[in-house]
């Protein structure tokens, strides 16, 4: 089944925004790459800002769905590792050049409070899911653990640019394993 024009615009805009930046990507470039006319875009999105918001919301929904699915399928005591592994698979598949939400926060900090807040909220959702995973693993009584794991995953988002995907993911998994082992050992 062919994608709807709206879905086609979202996919094209997401790719271009990720590759070229939000402000550097104009509406004309998006409609040309999507193979639609400008009016088609404006029939679906009232403005470029509305398009950016829709792209970020759709991408975030896919991301958290992948995390939630991984946690749901995890063996008992393995929710946090499953979430970390899902994060790594997402980076490999969709974010080899860093996190689009971080890029959005940087580009829209002074230009759009709404988009900045949307991207910031997506980061909060990741932290909340880490808190849930840690609790599922029986480590919820370690108040700083989820926050530290969040810092490791956010660091990985940036490290892929410098260290390469394989090294960043391996080092992330090592640090996560050490943090989890330290938490478990405190409970013994």
């Amino acid at each position: 089944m062919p994608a709807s024009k709206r879905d086609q615009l979202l996919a094209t805009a997401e790719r271009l925004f990720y590759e070229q930046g939000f402000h550097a990507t104009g509406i004309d470039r998006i409609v040309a790459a999507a193979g639609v006319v400008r009016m088609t875009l404006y029939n679906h999105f009232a403005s470029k800002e509305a398009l950016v918001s829709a792209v970020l919301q759709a991408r975030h929904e896919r991301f958290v769905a992948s995390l939630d699915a991984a946690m749901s399928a995890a063996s008992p005591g393995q929710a946090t590792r499953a979430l970390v592994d899902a994060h790594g698979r997402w980076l490999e598949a969709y974010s080899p050049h860093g996190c689009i939400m971080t890029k959005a926060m940087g580009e829209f900090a002074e230009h759009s409070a709404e988009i900045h807040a949307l991207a910031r909220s997506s980061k909060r959702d990741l932290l909340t899911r880490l808190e849930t995973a840690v609790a599922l693993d029986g480590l919820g009584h370690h108040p700083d653990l989820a926050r530290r794991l969040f810092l490791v995953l956010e660091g990985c988002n940036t490290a892929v640019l410098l260290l390469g995907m394989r090294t960043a993911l391996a080092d992330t998994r090592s640090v996560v394993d050490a943090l989890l082992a330290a938490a478990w050992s405190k409970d013994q």
Side-chain angles (χ1 to χ4, degrees):
M1 170 186 246
S4 71
K5 294 289 184 190
R6 184 180 192 282
D7 291 342
Q8 187 176 338
L9 282 163
L10 281 172
T12 302
E14 180 178 334
R15 179 179 56 78
L16 292 172
F17 290 152
Y18 185 75
E19 292 171 357
Q20 300 173 3
F22 295 96
H23 295 306
T25 304
I27 293 296
D28 290 335
R29 173 85 173 103
I30 294 167
V31 297
V36 299
V37 296
R38 186 181 268 262
M39 193 50 140
T40 301
L41 185 139
Y42 288 117
N43 284 336
H44 294 284
F45 307 99
S47 64
K48 181 178 177 183
E49 188 170 311
L51 175 61
V52 170
S53 291
V55 164
L56 294 178
Q57 287 171 341
R59 186 175 175 104
H60 181 62
E61 288 169 9
R62 290 192 321 271
F63 174 64
V64 296
S66 72
L67 299 181
D68 292 345
M71 284 192 302
S72 293
S75 302
Q78 296 297 310
T80 303
R81 284 188 175 100
L83 184 150
V84 169
D85 290 345
H87 176 269
R89 287 190 300 275
W90 180 271
L91 280 179
E92 287 178 308
Y94 305 108
S95 295
H97 305 293
C99 177
I100 197 171
M101 297 301 174
T102 302
K103 292 175 184 199
M105 284 190 292
E107 284 197 47
F108 288 99
E110 302 296 322
H111 302 287
S112 172
E114 178 186 324
I115 291 173
H116 186 267
L118 177 65
R120 191 169 185 265
S121 175
S122 75
K123 295 299 184 179
R124 180 42 122 161
D125 282 352
L126 175 58
L127 178 56
T128 298
R129 278 171 172 75
L130 281 163
E131 291 166 346
T132 299
V134 165
L136 287 170
D137 290 343
L139 297 169
H141 56 284
H142 294 276
D144 301 333
L145 182 56
R147 191 179 68 246
R148 289 176 180 155
L149 292 165
F150 173 79
L151 289 172
V152 173
L153 294 185
E154 285 301 303
C156 184
N157 288 342
T158 302
V160 297
L161 300 169
L162 178 64
L163 303 176
M165 188 65 69
R166 186 176 306 261
T167 301
L169 293 179
D171 288 352
T172 295
R173 182 59 187 262
S174 244
V175 173
V176 166
D177 286 347
L179 287 170
L180 292 173
W184 282 114
S185 72
K186 286 180 184 178
D187 290 348
Q188 302 304 320

